[in-house]
Amino acid sequence: MSHHYIKFNNVHYTYPNGYEALKGVSFCITHGEKVALVGSNGAGKSTLLLHTNGLLLPTLGDVNVGDIPIVKKTLPLIRRAVGLVFQNPDDQLFMPTVEEDVAFGLVNMQLPPDEIERRVVESLKEVGALSLRKRAPYQLSGGQKRSVAIATVLSMEPDILIMDEPSSNLDPQARRLLMNQIESFTHTCLIATHDLEMVRELCKRTIIMNDGLIVADGETHALFADKELLEENGLE
Ligand code: ADP
């Protein structure tokens, strides 16, 4: 059994106000792939990502992580396997200190205290934020918050890492650190981003979305060579 792949089968999603943000999305990301999800604002990228760990459940169609279908009763299992870094770090950070935020999920998993300490230190080091461990998250800069939000997810040691706009608000040094980190992450990875340079460097495969649909899915270098395709989908 492998948890390391994720499969969308004809996924539709309609928000409670009646807006259909996903109009039948199918793809499969297999073990170890690093895939970029691109498209203009409103294309449906965030809505799609929220389906990868069951924060949203499809109106129609299904999502599977390995051989586990994402349904209400599998959510605890799914959330251990799939780590989602939100677009806005303020949605991910809510404890009085950075270290408590990073430890939060680990405490919930009832890990022993020395293992929690090891993972807190390790994941903060990985994002270059160990010196912030005693600070209050709300007092951090946007980039620092983002790094800590990433650490909260890495500390859970997910099989599949999902990131929504991870490089926005990062200074060049923090962006580089993030890219190295994504590169060294050996498991499956799906990244929604407008940072096409990052995509070019890290992701062999790209999925392009437009208006709730996947309009292209293939090798990054081939898609990025197609100027017309990029222009049609609001990508430079
Ligand atoms: P992207 O991440 O590509 O910018 P989103 O997934 O955020 O796109 O949004 C896709 C579409 O769904 C947009 O038209 C957006 O306005 C709409 N949408 C997003 N969130 C909601 C919501 N909570 N209620 C209604 N419509 C929403």
Side-chain angles (χ1 to χ4, degrees):
M1 182 177 89
S2 169
H3 294 181
H4 298 200
Y5 74 89
I6 187 155
K7 188 171 182 182
F8 277 58
N9 177 34
N10 190 32
V11 172
H12 291 249
Y13 183 75
T14 303
Y15 279 105
N17 70 355
Y19 186 82
E20 191 180 31
L22 298 181
K23 300 177 177 172
V25 167
S26 301
F27 63 91
C28 182
I29 296 178
T30 56
H31 180 80
E33 270 193 297
K34 287 191 177 61
V35 180
L37 182 64
V38 302
S40 52
N41 289 331
K45 303 181 296 296
S46 295
T47 306
L48 186 156
L49 295 191
L50 292 171
H51 282 77
T52 59
N53 78 346
L55 280 171
L56 293 179
L57 295 170
T59 311
L60 186 74
D62 44 76
V63 183
N64 286 268
V65 174
D67 49 12
I68 306 169
I70 304 189
V71 290
K72 270 199 186 123
K73 74 169 194 249
T74 59
L75 291 183
L77 252 177
I78 293 294
R79 292 193 178 145
R80 283 195 189 186
V82 181
L84 174 59
V85 180
F86 294 118
Q87 186 164 20
N88 181 356
D90 288 331
D91 292 338
Q92 207 131 23
L93 307 173
F94 45 84
M95 297 295 279
T97 65
V98 163
E99 64 183 359
E100 286 169 282
D101 254 326
V102 180
F104 183 80
L106 310 173
V107 172
N108 269 349
M109 279 166 72
Q110 299 180 326
L111 294 180
D114 54 343
E115 176 63 7
I116 293 178
E117 170 65 13
R118 183 190 73 76
R119 292 205 197 182
V120 167
V121 170
E122 200 66 21
S123 56
L124 282 171
K125 246 192 217 163
E126 270 187 70
V127 298
L130 188 56
S131 63
L132 305 176
R133 70 180 287 178
K134 302 286 180 197
R135 300 271 300 275
Y138 76 91
Q139 290 175 340
L140 302 178
S141 74
Q144 288 172 328
K145 280 184 190 173
R146 182 168 299 280
S147 299
V148 172
I150 293 170
T152 65
V153 171
L154 290 179
S155 69
M156 302 291 286
E157 301 183 351
D159 297 327
I160 301 176
L161 181 63
I162 310 283
M163 294 179 149
D164 198 349
E165 297 285 357
S167 63
S168 63
N169 286 328
L170 293 187
D171 63 31
Q173 196 184 2
R175 177 173 173 274
R176 174 48 53 194
L177 199 63
L178 169 75
M179 284 168 62
N180 292 345
Q181 210 183 305
I182 295 173
E183 198 158 30
S184 64
F185 188 75
T186 53
H187 299 314
T188 312
C189 204
L190 177 63
I191 307 167
T193 183
H194 291 291
D195 185 344
L196 299 190
E197 279 310 311
M198 183 175 84
V199 173
R200 217 187 287 273
E201 196 171 317
L202 293 181
C203 304
K204 269 205 185 125
R205 176 176 163 201
T206 294
I207 295 174
I208 303 180
M209 285 190 83
N210 195 343
D211 195 20
L213 287 167
I214 291 178
V215 293
D217 178 353
E219 289 207 6
T220 300
H221 72 89
L223 299 190
F224 282 17
D226 187 340
K227 297 279 176 268
E228 208 172 311
L229 177 71
L230 296 184
E231 260 172 42
E232 277 168 10
N233 292 287
L235 303 163
E236 300 239 334

